[in-house]
């Protein structure tokens, strides 16, 4: 059976407050726990009207407290925005509270606009990318129970993210390029490809990762996950209808338009995009999994087989219809339930 995990950006609909969006996320996380998902990851994006996932470690704590079994993680923490020590302290504390359930997915993108990124980095003139390799290696050392030793002049200075740790969170490297694939391989880290965003280049990046992988005691063999946008409904027609708000959001993002809270399905249907968007939308959704349970399961299995991975991480992108209780996302829950049942 193809294992399923979940990526959640904590979308905010036009009928929701931030509190509603978080409540819907926790309800979806409980469904993931119930149906046997391997992991539930939350993202890091800033200053976006349609996304409430601004602080991954804080959301991870909320999800872990609301569930009992599923691994919780970040998809990802955008490391250029943060000190590796701060991230290590956050996730080490989570690992202490929820041992064996914490993943740390690390990304290189800013996750925001240039002004917000500048403020996140406290006015630093650099973008953090030039030190990314070293920062990932530092984080990997800091989350180990034994920590690291820092040289300060002629003195050795022990540094630990938390005292008396007995286990460590698992680090994953995220990316959508050959750069991230090679870095994950060289560092011997498991690798997650952002297939849901890139849409192309997945096969090449995964193959490059496997070719460059350097085994370690913690990771003797390469390990990969691909992320896919997924909408599943009883019929394929209904699945396409439910995916429409997310499709339109992505089209606005790619077109450089102002982002707004995610539309309800009826509002998206009532305001068709210009005809010139048809080709762009077809290309945009070509890598998405949209369909009834049987066809969606077949698409997920085919993707896993093609990439040689036994785990696919889905971003449930089914939108909400008018009258949906604000603190819920039943179509996203339906996507997860129908897909896991069809894969079983």
């Amino acid at each position: 059976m193809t294992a399923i995990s979940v990526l959640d950006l904590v979308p905010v609909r036009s009928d929701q407050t931030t509190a509603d969006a978080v409540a819907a996320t926790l309800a979806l996380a409980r469904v993931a726990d119930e149906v046997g998902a391997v992991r539930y990851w939350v993202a890091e994006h800033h200053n976006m009207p349609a996304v409430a996932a601004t602080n991954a470690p804080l959301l991870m704590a909320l999800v872990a407290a609301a569930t009992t079994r599923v691994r919780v993680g970040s998809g990802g923490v955008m490391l250029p925005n943060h000190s590796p020590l701060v991230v290590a302290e956050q996730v080490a504390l989570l690992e202490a509270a929820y041992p064996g359930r914490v993943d740390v997915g690390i990304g290189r993108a800013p996750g925001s606009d240039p002004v917000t990124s500048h403020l996140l980095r406290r006015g630093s003139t650099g973008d953090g990318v030039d030190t990314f390799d070293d920062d990932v290696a530092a984080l990997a050392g800091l989350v180990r129970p034994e920590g690291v030793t820092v040289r300060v002049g002629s003195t050795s200075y022990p540094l630990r993210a938390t005292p008396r740790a007995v286990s460590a969170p698992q680090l994953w490297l995220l990316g959508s390029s050959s750069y991230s694939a090679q870095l994950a391989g060289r560092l011997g880290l498991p690798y997650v490809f952002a297939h849901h965003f890139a849409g192309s280049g997945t096969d090449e990046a995964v193959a490059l990762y496997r070719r460059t992988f350097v085994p370690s005691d913690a990771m003797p063999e390469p390990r990969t996950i691909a992320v896919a946008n997924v909408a599943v409904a009883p019929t394929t027609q209904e699945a396409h209808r439910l995916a429409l708000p997310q499709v339109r959001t992505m089209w606005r993002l790619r077109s450089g338009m102002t982002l707004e809270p995610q539309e309800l399905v009826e509002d998206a249907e009532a305001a068709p995009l210009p005809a010139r968007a048809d080709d762009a939308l077809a290309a945009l959704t070509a890598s998405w999994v949209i369909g009834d349970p049987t066809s969606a399961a077949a698409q997920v299995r085919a993707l896993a087989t093609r990439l040689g991975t036994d785990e696919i991480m889905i971003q449930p992108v089914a939108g909400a219809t008018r009258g949906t209780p604000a603190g819920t996302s039943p179509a996203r829950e339906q996507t997860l339930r129908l897909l896991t049942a069809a894969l079983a």
Side-chain angles (χ1 to χ4, degrees), residues 113-294:
D113 60 86
V115 173
T116 305
S117 297
H118 182 72
L119 294 173
L120 281 168
R121 296 163 187 162
R122 301 183 67 182
S124 171
T125 56
D127 59 8
V129 171
D130 54 340
T131 62
F132 183 72
D133 295 22
D134 292 337
D135 288 345
V136 172
L139 178 60
L142 285 164
V143 297
R144 294 197 302 259
E146 63 272 24
V148 299
T149 299
V150 178
R151 295 289 297 180
V152 181
S154 60
T155 304
S156 296
Y157 188 82
L159 188 61
R160 292 178 177 85
T162 190
R164 306 299 295 273
V166 296
S167 62
Q170 185 174 61
L171 260 63
W172 293 74
L173 198 64
L174 282 59
S176 58
S177 68
S178 60
Y179 172 90
S180 56
Q182 288 178 301
L183 180 60
R186 177 162 53 82
L187 296 178
L189 293 174
Y191 179 54
V192 182
F193 188 82
H195 183 70
H196 67 302
F197 187 78
S200 62
T202 309
D203 302 75
E204 295 82 359
V206 170
L208 179 60
Y209 163 68
R210 290 201 173 102
R211 285 199 308 273
T212 57
F213 183 81
V214 178
S216 65
D217 292 339
M219 189 66 55
E221 296 180 351
R223 189 175 180 187
T224 58
I225 297 175
V227 187
N229 290 322
V230 179
V232 185
T235 68
T236 295
Q237 181 180 7
E238 179 65 8
H240 277 281
R241 178 174 182 259
L242 291 171
L244 186 58
Q246 180 67 16
V247 171
R248 289 164 59 87
T249 294
M250 291 303 296
W251 185 81
R252 289 193 183 93
L253 180 64
R254 297 293 177 89
S255 302
M257 300 173 66
T258 301
L259 293 181
E260 301 293 341
Q262 190 177 84
E263 300 165 297
L264 298 174
V265 172
E266 293 88 349
D267 295 333
E269 290 176 320
L273 293 173
R276 62 183 172 83
D278 290 346
D279 290 343
L281 292 179
L284 178 66
T285 58
S287 62
W288 294 24
V289 175
I290 305 176
D292 62 77
T294 300

Side-chain angles (χ1 to χ4, degrees), residues 266-337:
E266 293 88 349
D267 295 333
E269 290 176 320
L273 293 173
R276 62 183 172 83
D278 290 346
D279 290 343
L281 292 179
L284 178 66
T285 58
S287 62
W288 294 24
V289 175
I290 305 176
D292 62 77
T294 300
S295 67
Q299 293 175 69
V300 167
R301 288 193 191 99
L303 179 62
T305 299
R306 195 181 93 205
L307 299 176
T309 182
D310 59 0
E311 184 177 339
I312 297 294
M313 182 170 284
I314 71 167
Q315 181 185 191
V317 294
T321 55
R322 191 168 290 122
T324 298
T328 67
S329 55
R332 292 202 296 158
E333 294 178 17
Q334 174 183 250
T335 287
L336 192 50
R337 290 187 188 278

